Amino acid sequence: DAKTTQPNSMESNEEEPVHLPCNHSTISGTDYIHWYRQLPSQGPEYVIHGLTSNVNNRMASLAIAEDRKSSTLILHRATLRDAAVYYCILRGSGNTGKLIFGQGTTLQVKP
Amino acid sequence: GAVVSQHPSRVICKSGTSVKIECRSLDFQATTMFWYRQFPKQSLMLMATSNEGSKATYEQGVEKDKFLINHASLTLSTLTVTSAHPEDSSFYICSARSGVQPQHFGDGTRLSIL
């Protein structure tokens, strides 16, 4: 499984946008980019995923670089409840793709 | 959205006991289920992958006789930690997926072995 690189931690102010970067320079053509987040003492929560085009949903937006070697998760307006560990994970296509978690980015949101 | 239910949420038991954890997909049929373990201040570590009706595939270093996985139906998988010891104390998290859809996770089971 291709590896991703994320900053260990980031800080944001409440109600401001947050851009969480992820580098995946060894991504293959069939790897999907998945983002999950984990709050303390809970299981991970699916946030968003994409392949080539930018994606939007009610939780966030995913901006994917043209060469697909990096991506950015965008939280448009951070709230205190967005404080979590955010994981950027590559998953192969098909039924056999596994999610292998790295260390993720711990996001702190300041009031 | 997709819901995965995991039970129990917390278990405290004596060393040598076997503990069973259940994982259910409530509103979709899970063709594939996954079991993870997470130690304090660490990331999730994949233990095994199971497809309905098939034997589980274990990751390297995970003892299949220690961690028994059963995926008997499209909505239920169980993990049994056999003869648990204090070093098996951890946060166990299951995950389920239907085909190529995103995986969804349960809320985890905190296992404490005394």
Side-chain angles (χ1 to χ4, degrees), chain B residues 7-97:
Chain B
H7 178 80
S9 58
R10 185 175 181 101
V11 180
I12 302 173
C13 57
K14 293 181 180 180
S15 185
T17 308
S18 291
V19 178
K20 180 185 281 189
I21 302 169
E22 287 189 353
C23 178
R24 295 180 185 273
S25 57
L26 296 185
D27 56 356
F28 67 99
Q29 293 191 321
T31 50
T32 310
M33 285 187 163
F34 306 83
W35 287 94
Y36 293 79
R37 180 167 56 178
Q38 185 174 32
F39 292 107
K41 299 196 183 302
Q42 293 186 23
S43 188
L44 284 77
M45 185 192 79
L46 179 64
M47 299 174 68
T49 302
S50 73
N51 293 299
E52 185 261 341
S54 303
K55 286 186 179 180
T57 302
Y58 291 80
E59 296 297 306
Q60 191 172 9
V62 179
E63 301 174 56
K64 62 180 181 181
D65 295 330
K66 173 79 171 173
F67 300 101
L68 301 179
I69 291 171
N70 184 280
H71 188 171
S73 79
L74 285 171
T75 58
L76 174 64
S77 176
T78 60
L79 168 69
T80 302
V81 183
T82 62
S83 187
H85 289 95
E87 58 267 28
D88 298 322
S89 298
S90 188
F91 192 47
Y92 291 86
I93 307 168
C94 76
S95 178
R97 187 175 82 207

Side-chain angles (χ1 to χ4, degrees), chain A residues 36 38 95 97-99 102, chain B residues 36 38 43 59 97 101 103:
Chain A
Y36 284 79
Q38 185 180 26
N95 292 338
K98 299 184 287 190
L99 291 180
Chain B
Y36 293 79
Q38 185 174 32
S43 188
E59 296 297 306
R97 187 175 82 207
Q101 296 301 312
Q103 270 176 242

